[in-house]
Amino acid sequence: MSSIAADHVPAQHGHDDHAHGPQKGWRRWLFATNHKDIGTMYLIFSFMMLLEGGTLALLLRTELFEPGLQFFQPDLFNQFTTMHGIIMVFGAIMPAFVGFANWMIPLQIGASDMAFARMNNFSFWLLPVGAILLTTSFFMPGGATAAGWTLYAPLSQQMGPGMDFAILAIHILGASSIMGAINIVVTVLGMRAPGMTLMKMPLFCWTWLITAYLLIAVMPVLAAAVTMLLTDRHFGTAFFNAAAGGDPVLYQHVFWFFGHPEVYIMILPAFGIVSAIVPAFSRKPLFGYASMVYATAAIAILSFLVWAHHMFATGMPVTGQLYFMYATMLISIPTGVKIFNWVATMWRGSLSFETPMLFAIGFIFVFTVGGFTGLILAVAPIDIAVHDTYYVVAHFHYVLVAGSLFALFGGAYYWLPKWTGRMYDERLGKLHFWSSLISFNITFFPMHFLGLAGMPRRYADYALQFTDFHQIATIGAFWFGLSQLIFLYVVLKAYSGRGEPAPAKPWEGAEGLEWTVPSPAPFHTFEEPPVVK
């Protein structure tokens, strides 16, 4: 039913009719209903937001190069910190994965398009609106919100109108996520090609299906939290205002009930991408496919049960601390299954180390380091000691930068020939990888030591003894930021038609329906659904 709806829209109502190619000029993009065009727009948007969020990070590191206040007052510094976090999470990482989902899921399951083509268009065009609101909040009286990306009350109740802009932006970006997730669920469950059972789907489709359910479950929770914040600010309620009988810790509970599954929303699709790349360059099937699916589902379910490990320092009773400590440690088991399976896939495989494989191996290595520091933070007494220090900053950047971002880069290099019809520049791709990996570790590894020595996060100034590590981190951050311009050049070079023409299947070991269509993938694919044997 849904595939018919997606396939045969009458010509006078849209441009989905198969006799026509894409519209010309700006109309093609503004009214896009083709999953490839929308996926491309998501990817371009997310990269622009990555550059904006990254610029804010470099401004932070510039201020932290030396102790004392050089360039920014603490209030502006905290605005940069907060907006860096919100922009990277809601503007860069999440839309990038949705872009991958739009591009690849229909190709991987043999569908003609996404289930709800117009809703797909709408869910994308909400993003620039949210991004403009976030960016313009800097120019409001009092500037942007400076309450941290978590927007903790009571601080967020005392901010100027920039805070209201941020709340509205989060509502809009959240609505976009929910619509994207509904679209993915219906597409995966209702539009698979004949013979494509759930347990034959590529792992990327599985990880996104589970991620989409997580999004549908937790985005409304975030919406509730920021709505209560809004009514506290303007309509006289007292959800989080202790002076009026509210409880600021309640905000933390509601926020982290969203926030912890959100961490997995940003990493599960990365697992799917790595699970596509590793078998392709090991030239053998993925080890333990079924266990990978179950592990993904286990991570998703457990992610709802561990939220208060972010709150060990709030005066939680010991019983609560013990429960959240053990539940958090439990989540490392399915994650360990994944890492074991990737390594077992490579074991005695016929490996080659093209750029996608380098990013996948880099992901496995650095994500494992981030996982271990997370396991250390799960131990309540240690967490209380290093809570809100640079140790935590180091931990989540190891998981999200080297985790999500490296997987996104690997996926981009892996599928770029399919998107553009051109092979990327392998030499520059490898340069991008090594430059990113080395500079990333120079930036974030010293932060573990800063945190263990007691350097609190979100401070614009610091004591003299922290100077050396801050200077190393700042140099690494600028190197890392500039390395991403190599990636931009590689992609633009492929898109502009320079480079070798790509065959339909550029990687010898790659499996899946996406490699059965020509490169670049034609505007309409699978008008007749392929039969999966």
Side-chain angles (χ1 to χ4, degrees), residues 206-241:
W206 259 116
T207 53
W208 243 118
L209 177 65
I210 291 166
T211 302
Y213 277 117
L214 280 179
L215 274 167
I216 294 165
V218 301
M219 285 319 275
V221 178
L222 177 66
V226 294
T227 304
M228 288 191 274
L229 207 52
L230 192 70
T231 60
D232 272 14
R233 285 167 56 80
H234 298 295
F235 301 107
T237 58
F239 292 109
F240 311 128
N241 181 359

Side-chain angles (χ1 to χ4, degrees), residues 52-80:
E52 183 183 342
T55 304
L56 293 175
L58 294 183
L59 292 173
L60 297 174
R61 290 310 323 168
T62 307
E63 174 57 62
L64 290 167
F65 189 70
E66 287 184 326
L69 295 176
Q70 271 65 247
F71 303 101
F72 309 116
Q73 288 304 311
D75 187 49
L76 183 59
F77 181 89
N78 285 343
Q79 291 176 36
F80 288 161

Side-chain angles (χ1 to χ4, degrees), residues 262-276:
E262 166 66 17
V263 174
Y264 293 98
I265 286 165
M266 291 189 283
I267 202 71
L268 290 180
F271 291 166
I273 292 172
V274 172
S275 300

Side-chain angles (χ1 to χ4, degrees), residues 56 60 72-86 134 137-167 170 229 233 251 388 457-460:
L56 293 175
L60 297 174
F72 309 116
Q73 288 304 311
D75 187 49
L76 183 59
F77 181 89
N78 285 343
Q79 291 176 36
F80 288 161
T81 311
T82 301
M83 298 308 279
H84 163 70
I86 293 175
L134 282 175
S137 69
F138 278 113
F139 307 105
M140 302 294 287
T145 172
W149 85 274
T150 53
L151 308 176
Y152 271 8
L155 202 55
S156 48
Q157 294 171 317
Q158 299 154 12
M159 296 283 150
M163 181 73 215
D164 301 315
F165 267 49
I167 289 173
I170 282 171
L229 207 52
R233 285 167 56 80
Y251 177 83
D388 264 339
R457 64 179 177 172
R458 299 181 189 161
Y459 276 38

